[in-house]
Amino acid sequence: MQCPNCKKCETQVIDSRMSEDNTVRRRRECFCCRFRFTTFERVEPARAVVIKKNGREEPFERKKIENGIRRAAKNTEVTETDIERIVTKVEQEIFKGGEDKITSREIGNLVIDKLKKIDEVAYLRFASVYKEFSDIETFEKEINKMK
Ligand SMILES: [Zn+2]
């Protein structure tokens, strides 16, 4: 969102809070002039459609990605904050292109990319589910690639 003060720069969200009537209150700050202001924005439910491997379509649900990562990250160093951050980034990448259809494989790859940088175990577990390593050989290849 453009800064209403200098009308030149983009602003960043420094704080956001959800209210009961589905509006989100965002504190924003301008990158250049540091002008701060508050907006109230209606939350659009994510309209993206996920195309699954079997060709079926289902609405995009943030929760599902979260749960998938949480399962993979069990007993690892990955924190809830990490998970939150990963999902938010993935969501941004999905929606920034204005795409309204995405395959479950693409989502998986986005998550894998990010998990890889945080925790190897969680990454491998997640990758094994999403890429569906068909045999132990591909799984090992994947491990060796990391070394
Ligand atoms: Zn400004």
Side-chain angles (χ1 to χ4, degrees):
M1 184 177 285
Q2 207 189 38
C3 170
N5 186 48
C6 66
K7 295 188 171 69
K8 275 190 296 221
C9 296
E10 279 300 308
T11 52
Q12 64 174 329
V13 176
I14 47 178
D15 182 47
S16 74
R17 215 156 291 168
M18 187 74 164
S19 64
E20 286 153 33
D21 56 345
N22 265 354
T23 48
V24 62
R25 176 187 174 278
R26 292 203 169 100
R27 239 1 234 160
R28 293 177 177 271
E29 188 184 77
C30 176
F31 280 116
C32 330
C33 69
R34 299 282 157 209
F35 178 70
R36 288 189 175 191
F37 63 106
T38 305
T39 56
F40 295 89
E41 294 160 40
R42 249 195 112 73
V43 182
E44 290 284 332
R47 288 152 305 171
V49 169
V50 180
I51 305 162
K52 299 177 40 163
K53 207 159 284 165
N54 59 16
R56 279 227 297 269
E57 298 185 356
E58 62 176 36
F60 172 82
E61 274 177 72
R62 186 188 165 102
K63 264 263 155 328
K64 283 198 178 164
I65 308 180
E66 262 173 32
N67 290 340
I69 301 173
R70 202 169 284 131
R71 258 199 304 274
K74 211 173 170 194
N75 302 324
T76 66
E77 304 284 296
V78 182
T79 63
E80 278 296 309
T81 317
D82 292 330
I83 296 175
E84 172 76 31
R85 210 170 286 156
I86 293 171
V87 180
T88 302
K89 268 194 204 147
V90 167
E91 219 174 27
Q92 281 168 354
E93 281 175 38
I94 293 172
F95 292 115
K96 84 173 171 210
E99 282 301 323
D100 52 3
K101 281 195 179 180
I102 186 161
T103 62
S104 54
R105 173 165 289 246
E106 286 172 292
I107 295 179
N109 286 337
L110 287 173
V111 174
I112 286 167
D113 254 20
K114 289 160 188 60
L115 258 187
K116 211 178 208 168
K117 291 169 196 146
I118 298 178
D119 190 278
E120 285 188 7
V121 176
Y123 151 67
L124 277 174
R125 284 197 201 134
F126 192 88
S128 71
V129 175
Y130 269 80
K131 284 186 174 170
E132 287 186 336
F133 294 129
S134 45
D135 49 62
I136 194 70
E137 206 181 311
T138 23
F139 190 72
E140 280 176 340
K141 255 187 229 154
E142 199 67 19
I143 294 174
N144 288 330
K145 260 197 268 169
M146 292 169 43
K147 284 179 182 161

